[in-house]
Amino acid sequence: MEIQPVKKKDYYVTLTGGNCSIVRSSSEQLAKVFSFRLFGAILSPYIQEATPAQVAWVKAMGGEIHEID
């Protein structure tokens, strides 16, 4: 039996003050934990599944796509 790789999704993270980021993860819960560790609870990260337009926007603005292994 062959093990299939885990498909990762992009999650759009909106932060207090209008900043945003993309986290690529296998689950929303992992993306949430990573976001709170990276940005802190003070910035109140809000996480949702990213649309292609949101990913394109973050890339166009020079933002980093954080990938969780």
Side-chain angles (χ1 to χ4, degrees):
M1 186 165 125
E2 193 175 316
I3 297 174
Q4 298 296 324
V6 175
K7 183 167 170 82
K8 294 184 177 182
K9 293 182 180 178
D10 291 330
Y11 294 95
Y12 185 71
V13 181
T14 307
L15 303 169
T16 302
N19 294 326
C20 62
S21 184
I22 298 289
V23 176
R24 185 168 290 150
S25 174
S26 58
S27 75
E28 186 173 353
Q29 185 63 30
L30 288 174
K32 183 178 279 190
V33 169
F34 177 81
S35 296
F36 273 93
R37 284 185 182 161
L38 184 64
F39 303 116
I42 194 98
L43 292 177
S44 303
Y46 174 74
I47 295 146
Q48 63 186 22
E49 197 167 322
T51 64
Q54 289 169 326
V55 174
W57 171 257
V58 170
K59 284 182 180 178
M61 294 293 112
E64 184 178 347
I65 295 180
H66 305 279
E67 188 157 354
I68 301 172
D69 291 328

